[in-house]
Amino acid sequence: SLSLSPSHMLFPLLDKLREKRIILASASPRRRDILARLDLPLEIIPSKFDETSLDKSSFPTPSDFVQENARCKATAVSKTLPVVPEQKETLIIGADSVVVLDGKKILEKPQDQTHAKEMLHSLSGTRHSVISGVCLIKIAADKEEKCVTFAEETHVQFAELTDEVINSYVDTGEPMDKAGAYGIQGLGGALVKGIEGDYYNVVGFPFHQFSKTIVELFGE
Amino acid sequence: SLSLSPSHMLFPLLDKLREKRIILASASPRRRDILARLDLPLEIIPSKFDETSLDKSSFPTPSDFVQENARCKATAVSKTLPVVPEQKETLIIGADSVVVLDGKKILEKPQDQTHAKEMLHSLSGTRHSVISGVCLIKIAADKEEKCVTFAEETHVQFAELTDEVINSYVDTGEPMDKAGAYGIQGLGGALVKGIEGDYYNVVGFPFHQFSKTIVELFGE
């Protein structure tokens, strides 16, 4: 949505955030790179939660599914943190992204090259969505926990792709670790005609909504 | 616009393009980074054309202005190339980007910090445009030249910014070399609620339209 947001205060808050312990519960180099632009001290502790363990069909909407995946990832990491007497205030960030076709068909990472080609065929010429779920767990010095989750949707208009284009793209290897079998920040950017919404959400992390939520969690 | 494009064939064409001489007539590290994803042999020859020399007010639209700037940049570089008997087929890429407010007010790079703050105040809470012009000059082995120019517009929805946010952002130094005084690919991404169109166009180079035009110029 392109409606106005209340003014947010992320930049003035950054110095305060640098005193916290901030943990990204994800091994995704793309999420790390997006968060790195805030120049925060980021620990990477990939979650051991198996993101294929939830039954997609049991959730009312894809947005519910990604938020629950994100919450499970962040919670799994919070449970591994050692209990120390005087701990720093800690923020754990969990995230999950999927591509959604026709408002309901969820595409995750392809299993192999054939699967990647099938996904790209199904996305060719479509306007589809990328939906990311994020869970932020704030653990205060007195161990009180606060958990916030949200989802963000961005629409993506794909070019029509020929077999030759799909085969050449899959040969580059880029699609294999990416939801929907493409990376907008790589060669896959040439396949995307345009987007509506937060670009970073398509890369894998909804930067604007995250920034706003951080201000709500840590601002006065 | 999010209408369908004809299928394009950039990936199958890349091997052929690697045999050409490709010159980017721009010193912008952001344009270089976007083109670098195609893994083409890119020469950087920044144009000596003074982009402040054209009179903005003499053009019917901002789109005409950026296309003429791009054409002048590319042409200036083509004139410096030495004449060799058997030259490789050569592509020269010129580009120019501006931010456009209310469909007509053109914002280029800020002159100083005060100017940057004024620009960000004027963009706060707005839906504005980023318009890039690109000029591609193809010089065949027999020296025949073909020149194509196009412009691409992307809409950007800015968050409402307080004085404190604007001052903190300008203090980071990021706005100073950027049209409209922000960089969506940097910290400035936190100021952007969403976009409509090609993200790379906001960074400074319309990657999708470029890819299509390259196929028209070099495809069979």
Side-chain angles (χ1 to χ4, degrees):
Chain A
S1 77
L2 288 176
S3 62
L4 292 185
S5 70
S7 62
H8 64 86
M9 303 291 283
L10 182 66
F11 295 122
L13 197 64
L14 286 176
D15 283 340
K16 194 172 150 190
L17 281 171
R18 288 192 185 102
E19 295 158 16
K20 321 281 181 208
R21 184 177 185 195
I22 304 179
I23 299 170
L24 175 61
S26 166
S28 158
R30 297 173 289 280
R31 293 192 181 117
R32 185 200 57 211
D33 289 348
I34 293 170
L35 280 162
R37 73 189 55 221
L38 294 177
D39 196 23
L40 294 172
L42 199 64
E43 276 177 70
I44 313 286
I45 307 183
S47 176
K48 295 207 166 60
F49 174 74
D50 176 6
E51 62 185 11
T52 66
S53 65
L54 295 178
D55 176 11
K56 285 195 284 280
S57 63
S58 66
F59 292 86
T61 67
S63 161
D64 295 306
F65 172 66
V66 289
Q67 287 183 79
E68 181 59 14
N69 250 340
R71 200 189 61 75
C72 291
K73 287 181 186 180
T75 307
V77 168
S78 83
K79 285 184 182 146
T80 67
L81 296 182
V83 176
V84 289
E86 300 227 348
Q87 69 180 13
K88 268 190 185 180
E89 199 170 42
T90 299
L91 172 70
I92 303 171
I93 305 165
D96 188 46
S97 295
V98 296
V99 167
V100 181
L101 193 55
D102 301 326
K104 54 184 189 297
K105 183 159 196 237
I106 293 178
L107 307 184
E108 298 177 275
K109 292 170 190 162
Q111 281 138 26
D112 52 33
Q113 293 217 335
T114 307
H115 194 205
K117 288 174 190 176
E118 281 170 18
M119 283 188 179
L120 290 165
H121 268 288
S122 70
L123 294 176
S124 170
T126 65
R127 182 172 184 272
H128 56 267
S129 293
V130 175
I131 302 184
S132 297
V134 171
C135 173
L136 304 177
I137 300 179
K138 174 185 171 184
I139 310 172
D142 64 3
K143 319 244 182 333
E144 196 195 311
E145 291 196 14
K146 194 171 174 183
C147 174
V148 178
T149 70
F150 64 86
E152 175 83 9
E153 177 169 15
T154 303
H155 297 286
V156 177
Q157 177 65 53
F158 240 50
E160 288 194 54
L161 311 180
T162 59
D163 286 351
E164 198 178 1
V165 168
I166 288 173
N167 292 342
S168 311
Y169 181 49
V170 172
D171 280 348
T172 68
E174 189 178 279
M176 297 317 295
D177 65 336
K178 300 187 176 66
Y182 71 93
I184 193 173
Q185 73 290 345
L187 279 168
L191 310 176
V192 172
K193 271 194 66 79
I195 70 165
E196 279 179 45
D198 184 343
Y199 165 80
Y200 296 104
N201 193 38
V202 185
V203 180
F205 195 75
F207 189 49
H208 187 78
Q209 191 69 21
F210 168 78
S211 301
K212 278 176 63 179
T213 309
I214 283 293
V215 173
E216 287 160 23
L217 266 175
F218 290 97
E220 260 81 37
Chain B
S1 77
L2 287 175
S3 63
L4 292 186
S5 70
S7 63
H8 64 87
M9 303 291 284
L10 181 66
F11 296 122
L13 197 63
L14 287 177
D15 284 340
K16 194 172 149 190
L17 282 171
R18 288 192 185 102
E19 295 158 17
K20 321 281 182 208
R21 183 177 185 197
I22 304 180
I23 298 170
L24 175 61
S26 165
S28 158
R30 296 174 290 281
R31 293 193 181 117
R32 186 198 57 213
D33 289 349
I34 292 170
L35 280 162
R37 71 188 56 221
L38 294 177
D39 198 22
L40 294 172
L42 199 63
E43 277 176 70
I44 313 285
I45 307 184
S47 176
K48 295 207 165 63
F49 174 74
D50 176 6
E51 63 185 11
T52 65
S53 65
L54 295 178
D55 177 11
K56 285 196 284 281
S57 65
S58 67
F59 291 86
T61 68
S63 162
D64 295 306
F65 172 67
V66 288
Q67 287 183 79
E68 181 59 13
N69 250 339
R71 201 188 60 75
C72 291
K73 287 182 186 180
T75 306
V77 168
S78 82
K79 287 186 181 145
T80 66
L81 296 184
V83 176
V84 289
E86 300 228 346
Q87 69 180 11
K88 270 190 183 178
E89 199 170 43
T90 300
L91 172 70
I92 303 171
I93 306 165
D96 188 46
S97 295
V98 296
V99 168
V100 181
L101 193 54
D102 301 326
K104 53 184 191 298
K105 183 158 197 238
I106 294 178
L107 307 184
E108 298 178 275
K109 292 170 189 161
Q111 283 140 22
D112 52 34
Q113 293 217 334
T114 307
H115 193 205
K117 287 175 190 174
E118 281 171 17
M119 284 188 178
L120 290 165
H121 268 289
S122 70
L123 294 175
S124 170
T126 65
R127 182 172 185 271
H128 56 268
S129 293
V130 175
I131 301 184
S132 297
V134 171
C135 173
L136 305 178
I137 300 179
K138 175 185 171 184
I139 309 172
D142 63 4
K143 319 244 182 334
E144 198 196 309
E145 291 196 15
K146 193 171 175 184
C147 173
V148 178
T149 69
F150 64 86
E152 175 83 10
E153 177 170 15
T154 303
H155 296 285
V156 177
Q157 178 66 54
F158 240 50
E160 289 194 53
L161 311 179
T162 60
D163 285 351
E164 198 177 359
V165 169
I166 288 174
N167 293 341
S168 310
Y169 182 49
V170 172
D171 280 348
T172 67
E174 189 177 279
M176 297 317 294
D177 65 335
K178 301 188 176 66
Y182 71 94
I184 193 173
Q185 74 290 346
L187 280 168
L191 310 177
V192 172
K193 272 193 68 77
I195 70 167
E196 279 178 46
D198 185 342
Y199 165 80
Y200 296 104
N201 193 37
V202 185
V203 180
F205 195 74
F207 189 49
H208 186 78
Q209 190 69 21
F210 168 77
S211 302
K212 278 177 63 178
T213 309
I214 283 293
V215 174
E216 288 159 22
L217 265 176
F218 291 96
E220 262 78 39

